[in-house]
Amino acid sequence: MKPVLLVIAHGSRDPRHAATVHALVRRVRSLRPDVRVETGFLDFNIPSVQGVLESLAAEGVRDVVALPLLLTRAFHAKADIPAVLRDAPPQLRIRQAEVLGPSPLLLSALERRLYEAGLTPADKSSTGVVLASAGSTDPEAIAVIADIAREWRHTGWCAVRPAFASAALPRTEDAVRELRALGCTKVAVAPYVLAPGFLPDRIARGAADADVLAGVLGPAPEVARVLLRRYDAAAARGLLRLTVSA
């Protein structure tokens, strides 16, 4: 039998967050009906990751792929999630999949959201884009966002600048002003976030002077596809009982 896919989301007090996560999981199930997909949250929402793992063990499930619903390898992927998984019932064999980003599919999803918000491919060469992420204190995660911005610029946009809603600079509004100063005819903000919530709302406020604000990535088909690629890669690896240190 294929391992159960456990999608691990952060959770939020904002009900839009869980609704978006569940919509993404429904799309994943529709793409791969042969895989059992469950959802657990680290905080704020139910079911908890620990609760799902205990339920799976009680059912007799043995193999699980735990997939962090995260775009970068920051603190949650390196510490929080491994800590939760180490406390799982001992009869479970768990593999932790890689985070979703970076991936060319996610760049395609970002462009999808920009076009849905009103841009067209003909606008690319005259449009500057703010790649707005939640932010992190982890230098690796910040560097990844900067790398994605540079890569995306080479696909034909006038310019692409990274921005962060917390923990790092510049803020979205500062990147919007910089792109205006560069002479871009239009400025668009592309939230590099998976679901609505406090920090995405801060990104939206920072986009007040932009011409276009795209929606969050959410259940975009490209996101579901990259999620399944991460699952398949983890499922193909030899079984390793999780011993990652925080």
Side-chain angles (χ1 to χ4, degrees):
M1 294 181 62
K2 295 181 183 296
V4 171
L5 168 55
L6 172 58
V7 176
I8 300 178
H10 182 274
S12 171
R13 293 185 178 90
D14 189 323
R16 297 173 299 168
H17 175 90
T20 303
V21 170
H22 291 312
L24 174 59
V25 168
R26 285 194 296 271
R27 186 179 288 276
V28 170
R29 288 182 179 132
S30 72
L31 292 174
R32 289 288 293 276
D34 59 319
V35 175
R36 177 177 174 182
V37 186
E38 300 291 342
T39 308
F41 295 90
L42 290 173
D43 205 355
F44 301 116
N45 302 105
I46 56 173
S48 67
V49 175
Q50 188 66 28
V52 174
L53 291 171
E54 289 173 358
S55 294
L56 291 173
E59 290 179 32
V61 170
R62 291 296 174 263
D63 292 330
V64 176
V65 168
L67 192 150
L69 198 59
L70 300 168
L71 295 172
T72 59
R73 267 185 53 78
F75 182 78
H76 294 305
K78 294 177 179 179
D80 284 353
I81 291 175
V84 171
L85 297 181
R86 281 197 300 272
D87 290 335
Q91 61 266 45
L92 291 176
R93 296 180 293 247
I94 301 175
R95 283 160 279 191
Q96 182 175 330
E98 294 296 327
V99 297
L100 299 184
S103 167
L105 282 171
L106 295 178
L107 287 181
S108 296
L110 287 165
E111 296 209 357
R112 170 190 291 276
R113 294 303 189 222
L114 286 170
Y115 297 149
E116 289 171 350
L119 292 180
T120 71
D123 293 318
K124 290 187 75 168
S125 62
S126 61
T127 300
V129 179
V130 178
L131 179 67
S133 78
S136 173
T137 57
D138 188 310
E140 177 187 350
I142 297 302
V144 166
I145 300 300
D147 288 344
I148 293 170
R150 281 191 291 269
E151 178 183 349
W152 203 13
R153 163 68 181 84
H154 295 314
T155 67
W157 296 100
C158 174
V160 180
R161 294 291 186 270
F164 308 94
S166 68
L169 296 174
R171 295 287 184 257
T172 302
E173 54 269 32
D174 298 326
V176 169
R177 283 193 291 269
E178 180 183 352
L179 291 171
R180 291 276 188 222
L182 283 175
C184 297
T185 304
K186 292 183 178 180
V187 175
V189 174
Y192 190 58
V193 294
L194 288 166
F198 176 76
L199 293 179
D201 283 349
R202 181 179 288 176
I203 290 171
R205 291 193 296 272
D209 292 331
D211 300 292
V212 173
L213 171 63
V216 300
L217 294 173
E222 296 86 355
V223 178
R225 286 166 56 201
V226 73
L227 192 155
L228 285 168
R229 288 187 181 182
R230 299 292 186 256
Y231 165 80
D232 288 335
R237 293 201 306 261
L239 278 171
L240 295 172
R241 179 61 185 171
L242 202 78
T243 56
V244 180
S245 64

